[in-house]
């Protein structure tokens, strides 16, 4: 469970979050959508404990958190296997696993994301999309109960996107994790998410299901603007 109440965050004079409240139950995947710069990654980083909020409360049902970063954030000097196994080695309170067991888990996760056999490669040898999938494998390696995905399918080709979307869904079914997923991609919202929250002006301006968001008869002005990708609407585009 993830419960966020009245979260506020400014960077200097830039007020980014002005009272965000969200709730995600186990088994749910919340799509967090909104214009570039509206604060989606900031929300994930606060939930993950990487940055502090100015105000507000966050309740987490588990301290087993996995995060797939927007820009992959792999360690360049480590192999892919070392990157993916990193959370296993630093996990507090977890039993120390023998090397062969770590190798087995790493290979299993690499197969899962469609990249078997690249254990000994380095991040610089991978394409952007491959890095994204490795970052995904690292996020889920400890079987977390709370998973934060920052644009897990951005920049992936349609088939790789589908693989990741279906992986997110099967992972939810298996682990019953509570997840937040940032995306701009309609296919990802439809295939991988159970509900949607739209952020604008530091607030959640619309909440509903993927079906409601993409329903042509939904005349909510925010949902309509998102669905049509329209410049005109209640949300002003900053240049
Ligand atoms: N560490 C930081 N220091 C100063 N400003 C920051 C920092 N992190 C984010 N910001 C600012 O906060 C705002 C929100 O950034 P954030 O990365 O959360 O947006 P986003 O919704 O994830 O955008 P995108 O869709 O482009 O990834 C931006 O105006 C950004 O400049
Ligand atoms: Mg972002």
């Amino acid at each position: 469970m993830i419960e966020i109440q009245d979260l506020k965050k400014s960077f200097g004079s830039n007020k980014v979050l002005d009272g965000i409240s969200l709730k995600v139950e186990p088994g749910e995947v919340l799509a967090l959508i909104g214009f570039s710069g509206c604060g989606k990654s900031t929300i994930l980083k606060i939930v993950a404990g990487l940055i502090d909020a100015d105000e507000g409360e966050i309740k987490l049902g588990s301290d087993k958190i996995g995060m797939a970063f927007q820009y992959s954030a792999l360690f360049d000097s480590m192999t892919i296997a070392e990157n993916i196994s990193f959370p296993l080695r630093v996990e507090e309170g977890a039993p120390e696993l023998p090397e062969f067991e770590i190798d087995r888990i790493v290979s299993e996760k690499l197969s899962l994301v469609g990249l078997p056999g690249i254990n000994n490669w380095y991040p610089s040898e991978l394409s952007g999309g491959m890095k994204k999938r490795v970052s995904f494998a690292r996020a889920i390696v400890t079987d977390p109960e709370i998973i934060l995905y920052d644009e897990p399918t951005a920049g992936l080709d349609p088939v790789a996107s589908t693989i990741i979307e279906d992986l997110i869904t099967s992972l939810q079914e298996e682990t019953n994790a509570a997840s937040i997923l940032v995306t701009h991609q309609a296919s990802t919202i439809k295939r991988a998410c159970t509900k949607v929250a739209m952020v604008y002006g530091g607030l959640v301006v619309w909440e509903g299901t993927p079906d409601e968001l993409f329903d042509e008869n939904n005349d909510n002005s925010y949902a309509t603007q998102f669905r049509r990708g329209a410049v005109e609407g209640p949300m002003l585009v900053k240049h």
Side-chain angles (χ1 to χ4, degrees):
M1 187 266 295
I2 305 169
E3 201 175 340
I4 300 171
Q5 254 166 28
D6 214 17
L7 204 62
K8 296 187 182 178
K9 178 73 184 174
S10 296
F11 293 104
S13 60
N14 181 10
K15 187 187 269 187
V16 178
L17 307 178
D18 196 21
I20 297 278
S21 298
L22 295 167
K23 192 167 181 187
V24 190
E25 303 284 355
E28 290 184 331
V29 184
L30 171 72
L32 201 54
I33 62 175
F35 286 166
S36 180
C38 75
K40 305 177 297 296
S41 294
T42 302
I43 294 171
L44 292 198
K45 287 176 191 164
I46 292 172
V47 173
L50 298 172
I51 56 176
D52 289 329
D54 298 334
E55 281 177 54
E57 212 180 313
I58 296 175
K59 286 189 211 146
L60 301 177
S62 167
D63 55 6
K64 289 187 76 182
I65 303 176
M67 177 148 174
F69 290 90
Q70 183 169 4
Y71 298 106
S72 303
L74 301 177
F75 301 109
D76 289 332
S77 62
M78 292 186 189
T79 64
I80 299 310
E82 286 165 346
N83 266 285
I84 293 176
S85 62
F86 187 78
L88 288 175
R89 297 176 198 278
V90 299
E91 203 183 6
E92 263 176 60
E96 205 170 306
L97 295 170
E99 280 307 309
F100 72 86
E101 179 63 10
I102 290 181
D103 287 347
R104 190 193 63 74
I105 295 171
V106 166
S107 295
E108 178 194 288
K109 301 298 181 208
L110 275 175
S111 295
L112 214 59
V113 297
L115 294 172
I118 65 163
N119 305 52
N120 297 321
W121 293 34
Y122 283 88
S124 61
E125 298 173 283
L126 305 186
S127 72
M130 291 164 88
K131 283 185 198 166
K132 240 179 153 117
R133 287 187 275 164
V134 169
S135 171
F136 184 95
R138 181 176 61 182
I140 62 170
V141 75
T142 56
D143 299 327
E145 287 160 0
I146 289 175
I147 316 180
L148 308 170
Y149 306 101
D150 202 344
E151 303 201 19
T153 53
L156 298 190
D157 65 73
V159 175
S161 285
T162 305
I163 291 173
I164 293 293
E165 288 156 5
D166 290 350
L167 213 54
I168 291 167
T169 305
S170 58
L171 206 66
Q172 287 307 122
E173 285 164 2
E174 266 170 48
T175 65
N176 210 35
S179 300
I180 303 179
L181 188 160
V182 172
T183 185
H184 295 285
Q185 219 162 294
S187 70
T188 306
I189 300 172
K190 289 178 189 165
R191 285 183 83 91
C193 301
T194 59
K195 57 183 194 177
V196 183
M198 196 184 306
V199 175
Y200 176 71
L203 298 166
V204 175
V205 291
W206 184 85
E207 280 181 281
T209 63
D211 283 347
E212 285 164 357
L213 179 64
F214 293 108
D215 178 359
E216 285 298 328
N217 297 319
N218 177 357
D219 59 2
N220 175 276
S221 55
Y222 291 99
T224 305
Q225 188 179 3
F226 180 86
R227 200 168 54 238
R228 298 189 181 154
V231 176
E232 304 292 328
M235 300 182 284
L236 303 174
V237 184
K238 278 193 224 160
H239 292 285

